[in-house]
Amino acid sequence: VSAGPTYEDIDPVRFIGNRSSGRMGFAVAEAAAQAGAKVTLISGPVNLPTPHGVDRVNVRSARQMCDAVLAVSGRSDIFISAAAVGDYRVEARSPTKLKKTGKPLSLELIQNPDILAEVAALPKRPFLVGFAAETKDVERYARDKLERKKLDMIAANLVGTDLGFESSENALLLLWQEGSEDLGQADKKVLARALVERIASRFHTSIDKVATE
Ligand code: C5P
């Protein structure tokens, strides 16, 4: 399970981050461990205790998260990507603190690797579950991401004023190739348990399908 934001450093004291608290991913890791899974939680910078029975790896940038995820993905059955990975990083991080010059400052940003896409390209890829936080047209964007990122499932949520980022509640719509299920709005820990149950069920269906082919 990946969780939390990534921080992309600009100089030794500044970074580009996002508002992910890590709570959804931590709740999913906890629910998966409680359901009997052996869980590695790869976390960006967050202020949360490690759930009981979970192995935790701390990272900072998207590239570090990508390396940490790839190091365990080859021997994992399921990868749940709940992290809010920074899409861009500063191309040339300054080794010293940037000073005011009185002129506009430009930062050249380059795209980070897409972690899910890298895992999807592995020869023995795990069952892939992504998240899609959207501010509008949730279902349409999420189904597009499911196809484009070649995911097995996607959990979509509308990011609003008191839902999603920085909140203890979320509302999730689960989508997969052949169907969908609205898990409704609830505390992230309650949603995480429902999500893990649905993932386990779809995961077993996919294994049975491969076994009979
Ligand atoms: O495209 P978007 O960032 O909305 O996609 C969301 C999903 O993709 C999440 O599951 C997120 O963890 C994953 N992601 C990723 N690598 C990125 C960006 C997003 O794995 N660079």
Side-chain angles (χ1 to χ4, degrees):
V1 182
S2 72
T6 61
Y7 285 1
E8 307 300 329
D9 287 336
I10 296 171
D11 69 14
V13 296
R14 306 178 180 99
F15 61 85
I16 298 171
N18 64 65
R19 292 173 57 183
S20 167
S21 67
R23 266 185 275 188
M24 191 67 232
F26 273 58
V28 169
E30 183 170 40
Q34 280 170 357
K38 183 176 180 303
V39 181
T40 304
L41 174 61
I42 296 166
S43 175
V46 298
N47 195 5
L48 292 172
T50 308
H52 185 70
V54 165
D55 282 334
R56 175 166 172 182
V57 179
N58 289 324
V59 296
R60 184 174 169 81
S61 68
R63 283 194 298 177
Q64 287 171 355
M65 184 172 278
C66 192
D67 290 345
V69 167
L70 289 175
V72 293
S73 288
R75 51 189 158 82
S76 302
D77 294 318
I78 301 171
F79 172 44
I80 304 169
S81 186
V85 186
D87 289 327
Y88 287 88
R89 69 174 179 275
V90 179
E91 178 156 41
R93 171 187 185 275
S94 171
T96 52
K97 190 178 167 195
L98 296 175
K99 296 290 178 205
K100 286 192 280 285
T101 60
K103 290 189 215 126
L105 171 70
S106 296
L107 292 172
E108 180 89 352
L109 302 180
I110 55 169
Q111 213 170 310
N112 274 326
D114 189 296
I115 302 174
L116 272 172
E118 304 253 336
V119 177
L122 290 175
K124 200 180 142 288
R125 60 170 249 166
F127 186 91
L128 288 182
V129 184
F131 273 76
E134 304 291 349
T135 50
K136 61 170 190 154
D137 291 338
V138 181
E139 182 158 1
R140 185 161 63 85
Y141 283 128
R143 200 160 276 289
D144 175 63
K145 251 171 230 182
L146 179 78
E147 307 285 335
R148 197 163 28 87
K149 298 198 179 209
K150 301 188 176 63
L151 306 179
D152 296 291
M153 272 185 123
I154 193 156
N157 70 292
L158 188 66
V159 182
T161 37
D162 50 349
L163 274 183
F165 285 177
E166 292 174 337
S167 162
S168 62
E169 289 216 339
N170 208 353
L172 291 183
L173 172 68
L174 264 186
L175 304 172
W176 58 96
Q177 198 70 44
E178 310 83 16
S180 67
E181 184 181 349
D182 192 345
L183 296 182
Q185 179 176 338
D187 182 85
K188 285 179 179 172
K189 292 199 176 202
V190 174
L191 278 177
R193 284 195 287 271
L195 178 61
V196 164
E197 200 179 278
R198 302 321 187 270
I199 292 171
S201 147
R202 302 288 321 155
F203 170 66
H204 287 297
T205 308
S206 76
I207 291 189
D208 293 345
K209 215 165 106 191
V210 171
T212 53
E213 271 168 11

